[in-house]
Amino acid sequence: MVDQEPQAANGSAQQVGASRGPLIGKRSRYVPGADWLSYMEQMDFFFVANGVSNAQQKKAILLMNVATETFQMIKDLLAPTPPSDGSVTYEQIIQMVKDHVKPEQSPLVSRYEFDNRMRKSTESVSDLSKPSGT
């Protein structure tokens, strides 16, 4: 669920900065439903490959590369402060979206799910004690 990188009018990839040469690698557009942590890991590699270390540039590149609905979600999470406000940092945006799309599960919910889990006939006792999904 990731769109392809934005293209300039001439069909080549857009440049990160006016003084930079061609980009190394592709930027994908994050869309809701995709894995946010994997997307951010790819963005970090993109930043390293293209020498982007300035947090304001990273924030701008990130906000340019999310789908409109994700940008609106970010705006809603930041409200009443707009994303363009200088007090909003790249790291804050990353953490806020991470907490929103993949919140930590409550220990009470985890215990409830474990306590109410039924052992299947094909599971050993040691399999039953492993977290589900592994």
Side-chain angles (χ1 to χ4, degrees):
M1 295 201 23
V2 180
D3 296 337
Q4 292 302 312
E5 71 176 294
Q7 297 291 315
N10 65 2
S12 65
Q14 295 176 350
Q15 293 186 9
V16 173
S19 62
R20 298 184 190 265
L23 295 177
I24 299 171
K26 294 182 179 181
R27 291 174 299 183
S28 298
R29 196 174 280 277
Y30 177 81
V31 292
D35 184 341
W36 177 254
L37 298 177
S38 293
Y39 179 75
M40 288 314 306
E41 189 174 356
Q42 285 183 314
M43 286 298 287
D44 286 339
F45 282 121
F46 176 82
F47 294 145
V48 169
N50 289 286
V52 178
S53 58
N54 179 293
Q56 283 297 100
Q57 282 185 318
K58 287 181 176 184
K59 178 175 125 176
I61 293 168
L62 171 65
L63 293 174
M64 288 177 4
N65 286 289
V66 293
T68 304
E69 56 201 284
T70 304
F71 184 76
Q72 184 62 51
M73 177 188 66
I74 291 169
K75 284 176 57 176
D76 292 344
L77 292 170
L78 286 171
T81 309
S84 59
D85 191 296
S87 67
V88 176
T89 67
Y90 170 73
E91 290 79 16
Q92 285 174 319
I93 293 171
I94 293 170
Q95 188 63 45
M96 185 180 41
V97 173
K98 177 186 169 224
D99 292 345
H100 181 75
V101 299
K102 195 170 186 170
E104 286 188 30
Q105 188 173 31
S106 160
L108 292 174
V109 171
S110 296
R111 171 160 312 275
Y112 174 81
E113 288 176 354
F114 178 78
D115 288 345
N116 291 299
R117 186 156 181 263
M118 300 292 286
R119 182 175 158 218
K120 297 176 184 134
S121 61
T122 58
E123 285 182 306
S124 68
V125 174
S126 62
D127 288 341
L128 181 64
S129 64
K130 291 179 185 176
S132 59
T134 59

